Amino acid sequence: MKKQRMKIRNYNILLVLLLLLMGTACSTTRNLPEGEVLYTGIKDIHINRNDQSPMGEKALAEVEAAISIAPNNSFFGSAKKRIPFPFGLWIYNSFKRYEKGLGKWIFKKLAAEPVLLSTVNPDTRVKVASNLLHDYGYFNGNVTYQVDSTKNPRAIKLTYHVNMGQPYYLDSIRYQGFSPRADSMIQATYKERIIKPGDHFDVTKLNEERQRLVDLFRNNGYYYYRTDFITFLADTLMHPGYVNLKILPKASVPREALRTYYIGNTSVYLTGYNGEQPTDSMQTRNFTVHYAGDKPGLRYGVLRKRFLYRSGEQYSQIKQNYTQEALARLGVFKFSEFRYIPRMNDSIVTDTLDVRVNATFDLPYDSELELNVTTKSTKQTGPGAIFNLSKKNFQRMGASLNLELKGSYEWQTSSTVDGESSVMNSYELGAALTLEFPRLVLPWVRNRVDPFRFPSHTNFKVYAEQVNRARYFKMLSFGGTVSYSFQPKRSMKHTVTPLHLAFNTLQHRTARFDSIANANPMLFHSLDDQFIPSVTYTLTYDDTYKKKKNRIWWENSVTSAGNVTSLIYAAFGQKFSQKDKKLLGTPFAQFLKFTSEFRHLYTFSEKHQLASRIMGGVIWSYGNKTIAPYSEQFYVGGANSIRAFTIRSIGPGRFHPASSSSYSYVDETGDIKLEANLEYRFRIFSNFLGGNLNGAAFLDAGNVWLLRKDEAHPNAEFSLNHFFDSIALGTGVGIRYDFSFLVLRLDWGIALHVPYDTGKSGYYNIPRFKDGMGLHFAIGYPF
């Protein structure tokens, strides 16, 4: 009876709270602080004398960003549009008075802090916006505002008036007051200047020019030179609408900033990852390494080559930056700190800077474990795992030795193979060993460090994979690669794989597999014993490091297999197109493969983004092998593709094996691939249990096709006549738990259309809703 009374009491409390919420739901200002007014957004922005030039658009965008503050229940961060139900404000006004209990918990979890007019502070914002107009050369421009009342006397909207005024342009530009040496450097780099006569007056460009001058001086020995030592004088009276500009050093520049400095001795102090302090040292000329233990934790030559400067050279800021980046690329230090100490001679400061570097080693090992569960449309299901172990600073060479072990196990969950009820077990095992150098390892690259400012890598890899499909076949694949990547620019990356040699062999075939191969020759030839000697070149453009609204990532890759080997055959008199050519007694593949992937990210705000991707590829096999190797063929589906479908479960074309088919277990692949994805990403909760909880809504489409007609795969070849019908389409929603260093992702995909006949008419041809669902757990964003 006592427990029952407690339950009734709790229900009554909840009922009272709900009635209270309903009774005060219409109030968004009831419990505002005394004298405060609720800000409900911008009613309008009126623009007078709008300058539609690129500079005018840039200035106006900055002004609008300064005054556009999102109100409560904003629609996608908009300052003008709001969601009609201010649920967070209702909770705030209904539960603010609760200091404990359920009411306090509801307030803490669901209430939205009101955006007040005093917080928006429009007086300050119009001053900032007016100053922005002046910074972009609109000296006569100004921004004002007015308060617009609403039906609620304690809630207001704002209307802004932006008068851009007349734009000013640069007329003459003169550099005055610099020392003869500094002036000669300015004249020698005159073509590199940021600002030129006739340009729009723009304070940001002036600051860039000032930074260019400081970098120029610091790269030529002026170690103590700073940006605040340079000033500008502008005259707008001599020529109306134009600015006569003088760039000159301040009168109070310190004496040490006006002299050049030279590099002296360099001392590197290496601290162990457990804090072991240096106890010994090793010196060669003017370079000394202090270390703990019997020998340095990093080979002396490897460390020395990271330093681009030499004793006696003029100080250079750019060489300092390159040196710090080269040390960071080694991947063996937690951090490194550079200090430049003026050398003293009889209490007099000389023009020599001794360099002290403090560096602490990172942990020597790193490991990662990834677990997953796979469920396929063929009713194969089972767990999988990938384990990575990395040894940093392998053999004290600054290289990383990585071991990857992966495996998966699948079993049949129902009798879909020839009507048998017995369980069919399959597994995949793999191992890979990679030695990665954070530099180019080439016999002709013998300079101090790679000739590229940005990261370059060399990878040597060997691998082996075992695939067992119970009652059908067992296949062994092994091989190795040598790969180089380098970046002449931060946004441009080249990857060259001059050697990739793979070997596939069917270790075991059953009579059942042979019967399937007779009915499906394409399958048999794609899995046949063969060498795959290939060369690959990849070009990647990536500007996602820039903090701008539109960011682009674009990668193109070309692979040529067997052609170099065929050229060698041709040199000995055999035709290039001749078939049955062998390498070490085994036929080798011959094909050309091209892939392209384009990604675009548009940022509305920190909490709202729109990501898109389009990708495609084609592989053409010829000569020695007219069927592409199975490992090189394209597929769609899975956590990073069309998420309504499991991996390799769509295509090719409008073909789809029936569940009762004798080879329904075969993965569905093709020679052509097209795929497109669109994903809207939004913030749900910030700082939620140590990370940000984000949501996503997505739309995925794509398929694979065959280039050649295959009797065993009807309607699988590419055709424009049925192109749109052969595109698989899926939508869905997902959540992401973003820790900044790690993103956990869960996506729920919902199929809208499959390219094959399901017995259901109409574009939405999914027989049952539950048949068109895919659930994927993954690490990282899909693109």
Side-chain angles (χ1 to χ4, degrees):
M1 290 294 293
K2 185 177 181 181
K3 290 183 177 180
Q4 187 176 0
R5 285 195 299 270
M6 290 179 65
K7 287 183 179 180
I8 295 174
R9 182 183 178 185
N10 291 334
Y11 290 148
N12 290 336
I13 293 175
L14 289 173
L15 181 60
V16 170
L17 291 175
L18 288 174
L19 292 174
L20 179 62
L21 176 60
M22 293 175 62
T24 58
C26 294
S27 174
T28 58
T29 59
R30 180 174 181 176
N31 284 319
L32 293 181
E34 187 69 27
E36 293 287 0
V37 180
L38 182 68
Y39 165 76
T40 59
I42 295 177
K43 183 178 180 179
D44 202 357
I45 300 177
H46 299 288
I47 303 171
N48 300 322
R49 304 181 68 179
N50 188 8
D51 180 8
Q52 296 183 354
S53 67
M55 181 58 68
E57 293 178 357
K58 181 179 179 181
L60 188 58
E62 292 283 351
V63 168
E64 291 184 348
I67 61 179
S68 296
I69 305 301
N72 291 103
N73 54 291
S74 167
F75 183 72
F76 293 158
S78 172
K80 294 183 178 180
K81 298 180 180 180
R82 303 174 68 200
I83 299 172
F85 303 104
F87 182 75
L89 283 177
W90 292 344
I91 295 293
Y92 178 90
N93 285 276
S94 299
F95 292 91
K96 189 178 187 310
R97 66 180 183 275
Y98 290 94
E99 298 181 356
K100 59 182 179 179
L102 180 61
K104 181 67 174 179
W105 184 88
I106 293 175
F107 179 83
K108 184 178 180 181
K109 295 297 182 181
L110 302 177
E113 192 73 23
V115 180
L116 305 174
L117 181 63
S118 61
T119 304
V120 175
N121 197 354
D123 292 311
T124 300
R125 293 197 177 277
V126 295
K127 291 179 182 179
V128 171
S130 298
N131 289 335
L132 284 171
L133 285 176
H134 302 163
D135 289 346
Y136 285 101
Y138 298 89
F139 297 132
N140 300 323
N142 69 305
V143 181
T144 60
Y145 78 95
Q146 69 184 49
V147 176
D148 296 303
S149 59
T150 65
K151 294 180 181 180
N152 188 336
R154 298 195 66 187
I156 59 95
K157 284 184 176 291
L158 296 176
T159 295
Y160 288 93
H161 299 271
V162 180
N163 179 22
M164 297 193 69
Q166 175 189 356
Y168 276 69
Y169 300 86
L170 292 175
D171 191 1
S172 63
I173 303 173
R174 289 185 291 175
Y175 299 82
Q176 293 183 353
F178 295 95
S179 68
R181 183 172 184 268
D183 186 67
S184 66
M185 287 189 292
I186 294 173
Q187 298 304 320
T189 59
Y190 195 67
K191 292 183 179 180
E192 301 175 10
R193 65 193 188 280
I194 306 297
I195 53 176
K196 300 176 183 178
D199 290 349
H200 274 270
F201 181 90
D202 183 352
V203 168
T204 60
K205 293 296 183 182
L206 265 59
N207 290 331
E208 290 178 18
E209 175 64 9
R210 174 160 52 188
Q211 186 62 56
R212 184 189 73 85
L213 293 177
V214 172
D215 291 343
L216 176 65
F217 296 155
R218 286 176 59 83
N219 287 332
N220 287 274
Y222 292 90
Y223 172 74
Y224 287 105
Y225 217 95
R226 301 291 182 265
T227 54
D228 54 347
F229 296 161
I230 297 178
T231 188
F232 300 94
L233 292 180
D235 183 358
T236 61
L237 300 177
M238 186 178 298
H239 189 178
Y242 288 85
V243 177
N244 291 289
L245 188 68
K246 289 183 181 180
I247 306 174
L248 62 163
K250 288 184 177 180
S252 58
V253 177
R255 181 184 301 176
E256 58 267 19
L258 299 176
R259 64 185 299 185
T260 56
Y261 289 85
Y262 298 84
I263 298 297
N265 300 327
T266 298
S267 299
V268 182
Y269 291 80
L270 300 177
T271 301
Y273 64 88
N274 285 323
E276 300 89 346
Q277 296 300 311
T279 57
D280 205 346
S281 64
M282 178 184 298
Q283 181 176 357
T284 301
R285 296 181 182 178
N286 304 100
F287 192 88
T288 306
V289 178
H290 300 263
Y291 57 91
D294 299 332
K295 52 187 177 182
L298 188 66
R299 291 189 181 186
Y300 183 88
V302 173
L303 181 62
R304 184 68 185 93
K305 289 180 180 179
R306 302 306 102 192
F307 288 78
L308 274 72
Y309 60 79
R310 290 295 182 268
S311 178
E313 290 183 356
Q314 238 177 32
Y315 168 81
S316 170
Q317 173 70 53
I318 195 167
K319 285 189 176 181
Q320 173 187 328
N321 293 341
Y322 287 176
T323 298
Q324 289 179 295
E325 290 172 6
L327 283 176
R329 287 180 213 157
L330 289 173
V332 301
F333 298 119
K334 288 181 182 178
F335 66 89
S336 59
E337 174 197 23
F338 277 67
R339 293 175 56 195
Y340 290 83
I341 306 170
R343 186 180 295 178
M344 305 293 292
N345 186 6
D346 295 332
S347 301
I348 299 176
V349 177
T350 68
D351 63 354
T352 300
L353 296 173
D354 290 326
V355 185
R356 172 169 175 148
V357 181
N358 297 315
T360 301
F361 282 104
D362 202 352
L363 295 173
Y365 290 96
D366 192 12
S367 62
E368 181 179 299
L369 177 63
E370 181 178 337
L371 302 174
N372 60 76
V373 176
T374 301
T375 301
K376 296 184 178 180
S377 59
T378 55
K379 296 183 173 59
Q380 287 282 119
T381 186
I386 300 176
F387 175 72
N388 284 284
L389 178 64
S390 299
K391 172 65 171 71
K392 301 177 184 177
N393 197 19
F394 179 70
Q395 294 296 308
R396 302 188 299 120
M397 296 188 297
S400 175
L401 184 66
N402 306 306
L403 174 64
E404 179 184 272
L405 302 175
K406 61 181 180 180
S408 63
Y409 184 79
E410 301 173 357
W411 59 85
Q412 191 78 30
T413 57
S414 67
S415 55
T416 63
V417 182
D418 295 341
E420 296 184 4
S421 59
S422 60
V423 175
M424 185 181 77
N425 299 317
S426 300
Y427 63 83
E428 295 183 18
L429 299 173
L433 189 65
T434 305
L435 182 60
E436 180 177 345
F437 291 86
R439 57 189 180 276
L440 295 183
V441 180
L442 292 166
W444 57 85
V445 179
R446 297 182 178 276
N447 55 331
R448 301 174 190 169
V449 72
D450 294 342
F452 306 108
R453 175 183 175 184
F454 300 102
S456 56
H457 296 88
T458 301
N459 284 277
F460 301 94
K461 178 180 179 180
V462 292
Y463 67 90
E465 295 179 355
Q466 176 82 71
V467 177
N468 180 72
R469 291 293 179 85
R471 301 203 302 270
Y472 291 97
F473 68 86
K474 180 185 293 185
M475 184 173 69
L476 175 66
S477 302
F478 61 88
T481 63
V482 179
S483 180
Y484 300 93
S485 65
F486 55 92
Q487 292 184 243
K489 299 179 181 179
R490 186 170 184 179
S491 59
M492 196 73 67
K493 179 181 179 181
H494 302 270
T495 303
V496 180
T497 304
L499 176 63
H500 179 191
L501 186 61
F503 179 72
N504 298 335
T505 178
L506 278 175
Q507 296 175 297
H508 176 70
R509 292 160 42 181
T510 66
R512 178 174 301 190
F513 176 81
D514 290 337
S515 65
I516 295 171
N518 291 333
N520 188 0
M522 181 178 175
L523 168 65
F524 175 76
H525 289 298
S526 68
L527 296 173
D528 197 8
D529 293 357
Q530 58 186 311
F531 271 108
I532 310 175
S534 63
V535 178
T536 301
Y537 169 70
T538 302
L539 175 63
T540 306
Y541 174 81
D542 182 3
D543 71 352
T544 56
Y545 66 91
K546 297 179 180 179
K547 295 182 179 180
K548 59 179 187 177
K549 286 189 174 182
N550 288 286
R551 304 178 193 178
I552 291 173
W553 184 93
W554 189 16
E555 183 172 276
N556 296 277
S557 182
V558 178
T559 299
S560 172
N563 296 306
V564 174
T565 312
S566 294
L567 286 173
I568 297 174
Y569 270 80
F572 287 92
Q574 297 190 28
K575 293 183 179 180
F576 184 81
S577 59
Q578 177 183 336
K579 296 185 178 182
D580 300 325
K581 296 188 293 290
K582 295 183 178 181
L583 179 64
L584 301 178
T586 302
F588 58 86
Q590 196 171 355
F591 62 81
L592 287 174
K593 183 179 183 180
F594 173 75
T595 60
S596 182
E597 180 176 354
F598 180 85
R599 303 177 185 176
H600 178 260
L601 181 67
Y602 183 82
T603 302
F604 298 99
S605 66
E606 182 185 359
K607 299 180 180 180
H608 301 274
Q609 295 176 323
L610 184 66
S612 59
R613 173 176 67 173
I614 183 170
M615 61 184 304
V618 60
I619 183 169
W620 173 254
S621 300
Y622 57 94
N624 211 34
K625 287 279 187 178
T626 58
I627 303 298
Y630 178 78
S631 58
E632 297 290 339
Q633 294 177 11
F634 297 107
Y635 59 88
V636 293
N640 298 318
S641 182
I642 309 177
R643 284 160 280 185
F645 309 100
T646 55
I647 192 169
R648 297 183 179 91
S649 63
I650 292 294
R654 292 179 292 138
F655 170 79
H656 186 68
S659 60
S660 60
S661 170
S662 60
Y663 50 91
S664 63
Y665 73 95
V666 177
D667 293 332
E668 299 168 46
T669 59
D671 305 316
I672 302 174
K673 176 180 180 178
L674 288 174
E675 183 180 321
N677 311 85
L678 188 67
E679 181 171 290
Y680 170 63
R681 300 167 181 170
F682 54 91
R683 180 71 51 80
I684 300 176
F685 293 113
S686 298
N687 301 320
F688 182 75
L689 300 178
N692 293 326
L693 187 64
N694 301 326
F698 53 82
L699 186 69
D700 304 323
N703 203 350
V704 294
W705 296 264
L706 299 182
L707 275 171
R708 296 179 174 92
K709 190 172 183 179
D710 181 31
E711 297 298 334
H713 295 79
N715 300 317
E717 65 275 9
F718 184 81
S719 172
L720 290 176
N721 294 332
H722 302 281
F723 176 74
F724 291 103
D725 285 339
S726 63
I727 296 293
L729 183 67
T731 186
V733 293
I735 57 174
R736 291 94 168 86
Y737 201 7
D738 190 346
F739 293 95
S740 71
F741 63 91
L742 177 68
V743 178
L744 303 178
R745 172 166 57 96
L746 181 65
D747 286 331
W748 177 39
I750 303 171
L752 300 177
H753 176 76
V754 291
Y756 50 86
D757 183 20
T758 63
K760 184 176 181 179
S761 61
Y763 187 78
Y764 179 77
N765 59 353
I766 311 302
R768 294 177 299 178
F769 181 78
K770 69 176 185 178
D771 295 335
M773 293 191 300
L775 194 63
H776 304 277
F777 176 76
I779 297 176
Y781 287 101
F783 51 89

